[in-house]
Amino acid sequence: QVQLVESGGGLVQPGGSLRLSCAFSGSIFSIYAMGWYRQAPGKQRELVAAITSGGSTNYAESVKGRFTISRDNDKNTVYLQMSSLKPEDTAVYYCNARYLGVTGKKYEYWGQGTQVTVSS
């Protein structure tokens, strides 16, 4: 029933930009947070950026000033605008949604991931 559709990944040169999109669909009570995580080969998954339904944001220190997360609550869609990309940004980026069911129980759902490669 729940579905996350990610798009926007690809190959880009250092200094370039990419915009990732993640659309959530499904019958739930409410989404209280969505975010982007990434995992590079041989490394742990890490938070890149997250945003609550109220607009509060949280960024990894390594991307502050370069990445911007935004959302459209009406469309249940979150975006990640990535600028000044560096080779170390290369990773699989995963969209994450945290939501409440009709009973108030918390759930978490992950997208399939989209590859971002920064290379010259």
Side-chain angles (χ1 to χ4, degrees):
Q1 294 181 1
V2 174
Q3 185 173 314
L4 282 178
V5 180
E6 300 158 308
S7 62
L11 175 64
V12 65
Q13 294 183 342
S17 300
L18 283 174
R19 187 191 189 218
L20 305 183
S21 299
C22 177
F24 182 97
S25 63
S27 298
I28 48 87
F29 181 73
S30 65
I31 299 172
Y32 64 89
M34 293 184 71
W36 289 95
Y37 295 73
R38 68 186 181 188
Q39 187 167 25
K43 294 188 176 182
Q44 294 185 137
R45 182 190 67 184
E46 65 173 349
L47 171 70
V48 178
I51 188 167
T52 69
S53 59
S56 298
T57 58
N58 186 33
Y59 294 92
E61 191 68 30
S62 61
V63 307
K64 287 182 178 178
R66 300 189 298 120
F67 292 8
T68 301
I69 190 169
S70 61
R71 90 291 185 209
D72 184 334
N73 287 339
D74 291 337
K75 296 182 178 180
N76 289 333
T77 300
V78 66
Y79 307 94
L80 185 67
Q81 178 65 50
M82 305 184 293
S83 301
S84 301
L85 284 161
K86 305 174 181 179
E88 49 263 47
D89 294 319
T90 296
V92 177
Y93 285 70
Y94 297 93
C95 182
N96 172 269
R98 298 178 181 180
Y99 60 95
L100 301 175
V102 294
T103 64
K105 185 177 180 180
K106 295 181 179 179
Y107 294 92
E108 187 175 56
Y109 198 83
W110 291 91
Q112 294 299 306
T114 183
Q115 178 71 46
V116 172
T117 302
V118 184
S119 176
S120 60

